Amino acid sequence: MATTVDARGRLADGSPARVLGWSPGQLLTIVVTAGVVQLATAQDSALALTKQGYLRLPSEIRHAIGLVQGDRVLAVARPALDTVMIYSMPVLAELLRPLNGPSR
């Protein structure tokens, strides 16, 4: 699901969390690896779904991966792993580069 990021880091589309059955207030862990954000449920965390059930990326995470207001990301729910993966467009382009052949 492609969606945009608002000024506070909220993803405009809440469907990845709904697909996983996550409820508003669900505590989450966040890990960033090679520019890819992985969110998973947690028992003890300061990060949680908003009261409306949306995912929100903290400012330090947005800055670390270069996201600003209005940027589009790909948010992928992975039910078998109970995680959401978030890919910025530059990271996604880099991951897909081998499939697209050499650039001109």
Side-chain angles (χ1 to χ4, degrees):
M1 155 75 35
T3 187
T4 57
V5 178
D6 73 10
R8 296 178 132 185
R10 189 181 79 162
L11 302 187
D13 190 315
S15 62
R18 285 191 302 274
V19 165
L20 297 173
W22 295 354
S23 301
Q26 171 68 56
L27 298 178
L28 302 170
T29 61
I30 190 166
V31 175
V32 179
T33 306
V36 178
V37 178
Q38 179 177 342
L39 296 158
T41 57
Q43 297 298 318
D44 183 31
S45 176
L47 180 65
L49 283 180
T50 67
K51 291 177 184 177
Q52 296 81 23
Y54 289 94
L55 296 168
R56 191 183 81 72
L57 300 176
S59 62
E60 59 272 12
I61 299 297
R62 295 192 316 272
H63 293 290
I65 63 172
L67 287 179
V68 296
Q69 178 182 356
D71 279 353
R72 293 186 62 75
V73 297
L74 177 66
V76 180
R78 300 182 69 194
L81 300 174
D82 197 33
T83 63
V84 173
M85 306 296 289
I86 300 173
Y87 302 87
S88 68
M89 291 300 128
V91 167
L92 190 58
E94 187 65 29
L95 291 171
L96 294 174
R97 186 191 326 248
L99 300 175
N100 295 325
S103 61
R104 296 179 189 196

